[in-house]
Amino acid sequence: MVVGLGYVGLPLALAMLGSGRHVVGLDRPQVVERLGSGSSHVDDVSDEQVTLALSGAFTVTSDEACVSRADTVVVCVPTPLSQAGAPDLGAIESVGRMLGEHLTAGTLVVLESTTYPGTTEELFLPLLEAGGLKVGTDLNLAFSPERVDPGNKTYGIQNTPKVVGGVTEQCTKRAVDFYAGFIDTVVPARGTREAEMAKLLENTYRHINIALVNEMARFSHELGIDLWNVIECAKTKPFGFQAFYPGPGVGGHCIPIDPNYLSHTVQTRLRYPFRFVELAQEINSSMPGYLARRIQDRLNDEGKAVRGSVVLLLGVTYKADIADERESPAVPLAVKLLAMGADVRFHDPYVSRWNAAEHSEDEHVLIGEDDMRSAAEQADAVVLLQSHAAYLDGALDGLRLLDTRGVLAGDGVERL
Ligand SMILES: NC(=O)c1ccc[n+]([C@@H]2O[C@H](COP(=O)([O-])OP(=O)(O)OC[C@H]3O[C@@H](n4cnc5c(N)ncnc54)[C@H](O)[C@@H]3O)[C@@H](O)[C@H]2O)c1
């Protein structure tokens, strides 16, 4: 059984079907209703895959009573940040309480939601045990970080190694056996905390390295050095270097959020800051503001003010060739340009209606341009924010634009 059928839970539930199991997905009524009608809300899963699965061994429901019939429960609910920037474990807590009421002896429970080290044993375990069953004797409990990379055509659930850490050795063994049924390589961790922190190390590593090249992009521009060419040269070293690329900022559900879980833990438990994370945050979150200034400079070179100028943003999702807009740096960039008086327009093959507002209570809805070329020709400034395939292979040839991804070349192209 999978609790939470989002970007992580839905593909996982379908992958489990491959091991010959009957899989039940539990989610809120509106999600269940949509999936039940054969409509997928996740980029990597098609409507056809959902319909096919539902005609076989996959069931979706909002009925919590089905927990008592599950031999394995995998939890993939969201772990966002609160308004104050602290971890919001509300979904994990409510699922933990619900499971405590319904679990039966012999069940394996695995938490997959990204969270700070200690969550599985300090917060989740007591909620499960509130129903009277004990972890280690009546129940098995483990943590296994999700490594889904939406849109990745090479690495999916089956061929991405899975880290698993249980509360006891027996918990780890049972969780390893479970995942080995549909994943090629399962890696046992020493315990739940090591498995929890492995995920945070992976994402913090990306966050910091992206910040490094973002900072370098700024001074490379001033020094007249093509940083993308620098990276191409550096990555020919066959060991000790992994290429990261600059861009308009970081987005998605993981990189801007997960490192906060770790820095929050270090700060609250040990009373000192995790300085690498704080610096990376400062640099990455300042990129939209830096980009707004670069757009202002371009307009200025043409004798134009930002106020009243038409600025066309190409690609507003956080990642190329997916429709996920969560935490996209396109939003803070648009907010800054709007505040400067620009007439902001956008085009994105994956988004037709876009709310260019930073807070959910605000609304600044923009409708996407249908004809990208004619929109670009009417704009005073064109900015490539996302390297969707539709923008490559000559689609933007001849246009004057600011390329924040380093994927275009030609006379009219200025790189970040
Ligand atoms: N999206 C990614 O690329 C990615 C990658 C790795 C890890 N993660 C982590 O995986 C976890 C899930 O992320 P996601 O992207 O799948 O989130 P999501 O928002 O796409 O999906 C979460 C699902 O859980 C459901 N849900 C919330 N509360 C629930 C409850 N009490 N009972 C039942 N269902 C409930 C929601 O309705 C939603 O369908 C997060 O901790 C995230 O950090 C995400």
Side-chain angles (χ1 to χ4, degrees), residues 3-9 26-28 31 41 76-79 91 94-95 112-114 146-148 150 199 253-254 258 318 326:
V3 182
L5 297 169
Y7 279 83
V8 169
L26 180 77
D27 207 306
R28 297 186 167 129
V31 177
H41 56 299
C76 309
V77 292
T79 44
S94 82
V95 170
E112 288 213 6
S113 303
T114 305
E146 180 46 60
R147 285 172 159 168
V148 69
K199 169 76 185 177
H253 196 307
C254 294
D258 300 349
Y318 88 86
R326 292 182 292 181

Side-chain angles (χ1 to χ4, degrees), residues 30 48 163 174 301 306:
Q30 59 272 36
E48 292 70 33
V163 171
R174 185 144 173 228
D301 288 346
V306 177

Side-chain angles (χ1 to χ4, degrees), residues 29-50:
Q30 59 272 36
V31 177
V32 168
E33 200 178 312
R34 184 168 170 180
L35 285 170
S37 68
S39 168
S40 169
H41 56 299
V42 171
D43 281 304
D44 288 343
V45 177
S46 67
D47 293 351
E48 292 70 33
Q49 282 173 290
V50 172

Side-chain angles (χ1 to χ4, degrees), residues 32-198:
V32 168
E33 200 178 312
R34 184 168 170 180
L35 285 170
S37 68
S39 168
S40 169
H41 56 299
V42 171
D43 281 304
D44 288 343
V45 177
S46 67
D47 293 351
E48 292 70 33
Q49 282 173 290
V50 172
T51 308
L52 186 67
L54 289 170
S55 68
F58 184 43
T59 320
V60 287
T61 182
S62 298
D63 182 6
E64 297 166 353
C66 65
V67 170
S68 61
R69 295 189 292 279
D71 57 32
T72 304
V73 179
V74 183
V75 178
C76 309
V77 292
T79 44
L81 295 176
S82 68
Q83 290 281 11
D88 175 356
L89 298 182
I92 292 186
E93 285 176 289
S94 82
V95 170
R97 269 190 290 276
M98 180 277 286
L99 292 178
E101 286 168 23
H102 295 282
L103 284 171
T104 47
T107 309
L108 164 69
V109 180
V110 186
L111 181 61
E112 288 213 6
S113 303
T114 305
T115 185
Y116 57 76
T119 306
T120 307
E121 293 191 31
E122 292 160 25
L123 180 123
F124 199 53
L125 181 151
L127 296 170
L128 303 189
E129 290 189 339
L133 298 172
K134 285 272 162 242
V135 169
T137 48
D138 309 313
L139 300 170
N140 290 122
L141 173 62
F143 181 85
S144 178
E146 180 46 60
R147 285 172 159 168
V148 69
D149 183 17
N152 191 323
K153 304 265 184 281
T154 310
Y155 289 105
I157 290 179
Q158 193 191 330
N159 64 353
T160 303
K162 192 99 173 98
V163 171
V164 174
V167 175
T168 64
E169 267 181 42
Q170 177 55 27
C171 292
T172 304
K173 186 180 177 317
R174 185 144 173 228
V176 168
D177 290 346
F178 164 69
Y179 284 110
F182 58 99
I183 292 178
D184 298 343
T185 309
V186 185
V187 183
R190 192 163 178 171
T192 56
R193 284 178 184 79
E194 285 75 13
E196 289 164 330
M197 192 133 125

